[in-house]
Amino acid sequence: MQGFDLQAFLGFVSSPLMAKAAWVTIWVAVAAQTIGTVLGTGLGVALTSGRPWLTWPARTYLWVFKGTPLLAQILFFYSALPQLGLPLGLIATGLLGLGLNEAARMADIVRSGLMAVPDTQREAAASLGLRPSVAFRKVILPQAVRTILPPLGNNFAYMIKATSLLATISFAELLRMSQQLAQSTARPLEAYLGASVWYLVLISVWTVIQKYLERHFALKESMEASDDTGRAMRAPTGKVEARVEVPRSSAEVVIEATGVSKSFSGHMALHPTDLEVRRGEVVVVLGPSGSGKSTLLRTLNWIEAADDGDVWIEGKSLAWTEGRNGRRRRPEREIDRIRQRIGMVFQNFALFPTYTARQNVALGLMRLRGVKRAEALSRADDLLARVSLGDKTEAFPIELSGGQRQRVAIARAMSMEPVALLFDEPTSALDPETVGEVLTSMTDLAKAGATMVIVTHELGFAKKAADRIVFMEDGHKIMDLPVDRAFAPDAPPRFRAFLELVDAKPQSA
Ligand SMILES: Nc1ncnc2c1ncn2[C@@H]1O[C@H](COP(=O)(O)OP(=O)(O)OP(=O)(O)O)[C@@H](O)[C@H]1O
């Protein structure tokens, strides 16, 4: 048996032929990875689209390409396609084989990345009025990319090695070159070891680049607080009482809900409900857990489309529009536009983690109002100053406390100069010591004349800041009274029972 020839080995490693083949390996890997990433992104989006005519072709693609060996696919493109009258060049065959297979792997990675972005991010983008395509590009994709990047880097390292399969179709990459050198010099061990050194170097260099890229794009992890801190309260259940409502101020109606109802899997979360919110009014919605408060609030800007009924924003219907052929469902695009008039603040802040505080606030202005970047950022700074965050404009959400994040969310909701603000349990996810600062910002807004609808469990705040109290139970609105009457001793017994349950004394109001 031949001994190991160090000279021959070093000669192979430093051979210009090997260097040339290494270059071919690099560009083939980059090109195939690019094809795979672009196609895989499209497939990943199709898989998460929820549209059968997109998901089924994508699933079939994955089934075929993940279920058959890569080598078999390459040989199929190389030998079977010419027989089918589709002769491809060597380069096209190699790129197609590697790229199409990679697309199937990338589709799963992209799908996981997209699914890792919480739904609240889509809702927050929608509540600003961003069109789904803009929300996807500006909010969802940047977050998904940071999840996708590490596995994408690993796939590329795999791709560098996978190019060696192209040796089977005589593609002049590294392995093929070492095969040729092995045959011509009768030194297979040294030749293959020489090629291995090149692969090792290429992958080591890529590992360093990958580490740098990952650090550079390090995910500013969304530290959205979990939503399990909401306090659960349940008042006695039973027959729904007669509704208690009184006529209200004569100010102009800003939001009017008429007969809105919503069911989830057959469960009636919200029975047909009417609600009027007049300009400058602060309406606080109270009720036990699961009574339909959030569902009612979310139908007011149609972020939860009601099954029945309609919502009118300054006299404009969200559900219906008049067309040439009569009344028809309003298209999503138009709903997005009307929705811009209503700001929304979520329990879990739903700030966009890839943007700073001021960028979060400026995004809607730039994307929807066409305000120039500098002007939008300057307006964002003013709004942040209004919620006492003038010194945090450049902070990313992860760098802020829960209370600070919620105040950024309030500034963001105000950025579009909404006619009304909706708050969905804005302090439930906060530590007790930061609740006060958010309530102070909300009280300031109320004093400044903002129209607000607030779902909350903060009774003290309700007594202090609300004009009206709406009480929900089992999906019904069973009380809608001015705050002084709601907290008076002769308030409806069901509401008083609820207050006693949460250990509040109505007469102390
Ligand atoms: N997306 C959903 N899918 C299925 N069921 C839902 C959904 N949203 C709400 N529900 C159900 O509808 C009912 C009303 O929920 P909703 O969140 O409006 O109540 P809530 O009064 O705001 O409660 P909480 O104070 O606990 O937030 C509950 O039974 C809830 O489980």
Side-chain angles (χ1 to χ4, degrees), residues 346-386:
F346 297 84
Q347 179 176 359
N348 290 326
F349 331 126
L351 293 183
F352 306 135
T354 53
Y355 293 120
T356 62
R358 68 203 299 244
Q359 287 169 338
N360 260 279
V361 180
L363 185 69
L365 286 172
M366 290 192 289
R367 290 281 139 201
L368 298 168
R369 293 279 160 82
V371 177
K372 292 247 163 6
R373 186 181 161 78
E375 163 71 11
L377 290 175
S378 147
R379 279 202 228 168
D381 290 348
D382 292 345
L383 285 166
L384 286 167
R386 272 183 72 181

Side-chain angles (χ1 to χ4, degrees), residues 264-265 267 269 287-296 304 425 455 457:
F264 296 105
S265 319
H267 168 68
S289 178
S291 58
K293 306 181 296 292
S294 297
T295 306
L296 170 63
E304 193 80 76
E425 303 201 27
V455 171
H457 296 291

Side-chain angles (χ1 to χ4, degrees), residues 127-151:
S127 77
L128 277 177
L130 294 178
R131 283 202 315 276
S133 58
V134 178
F136 181 78
R137 269 189 299 117
K138 291 287 159 186
V139 174
I140 308 301
L141 204 55
Q143 292 179 56
V145 161
R146 292 174 175 195
T147 317
I148 291 167
L149 209 56

Side-chain angles (χ1 to χ4, degrees), residues 267-430:
H267 168 68
M268 206 66 178
L270 181 67
H271 292 271
T273 300
D274 297 343
L275 185 75
E276 267 183 20
V277 184
R278 292 175 182 271
R279 199 171 300 286
E281 255 187 335
V282 176
V283 177
V284 168
V285 184
L286 297 173
S289 178
S291 58
K293 306 181 296 292
S294 297
T295 306
L296 170 63
L297 189 85
R298 290 158 59 83
T299 57
L300 295 183
N301 64 350
W302 223 245
I303 209 162
E304 193 80 76
D307 296 336
D308 272 312
D310 199 354
V311 172
W312 304 73
I313 307 293
E314 291 189 314
K316 199 157 191 163
S317 161
L318 271 173
W320 300 98
T321 183
E322 292 297 330
R324 243 178 286 149
N325 303 325
R327 208 168 79 126
R328 63 184 170 96
R329 279 278 163 197
R330 192 179 284 287
E332 277 302 319
R333 196 174 253 261
E334 287 180 24
I335 296 177
D336 288 342
R337 216 170 24 241
I338 302 173
R339 193 186 277 137
Q340 287 173 26
R341 300 197 214 160
I342 305 285
M344 186 156 190
V345 175
F346 297 84
Q347 179 176 359
N348 290 326
F349 331 126
L351 293 183
F352 306 135
T354 53
Y355 293 120
T356 62
R358 68 203 299 244
Q359 287 169 338
N360 260 279
V361 180
L363 185 69
L365 286 172
M366 290 192 289
R367 290 281 139 201
L368 298 168
R369 293 279 160 82
V371 177
K372 292 247 163 6
R373 186 181 161 78
E375 163 71 11
L377 290 175
S378 147
R379 279 202 228 168
D381 290 348
D382 292 345
L383 285 166
L384 286 167
R386 272 183 72 181
V387 291
S388 309
L389 286 174
D391 56 337
K392 296 287 183 191
T393 56
E394 289 297 344
F396 282 93
I398 194 175
E399 295 163 332
L400 298 170
S401 72
Q404 289 169 335
R405 281 185 223 170
Q406 196 56 299
R407 284 184 283 148
V408 174
I410 292 173
R412 182 178 68 180
M414 288 176 357
S415 67
M416 304 298 284
E417 297 170 334
V419 293
L421 286 165
L422 309 180
F423 293 81
D424 192 2
E425 303 201 27
T427 55
S428 293
L430 297 177

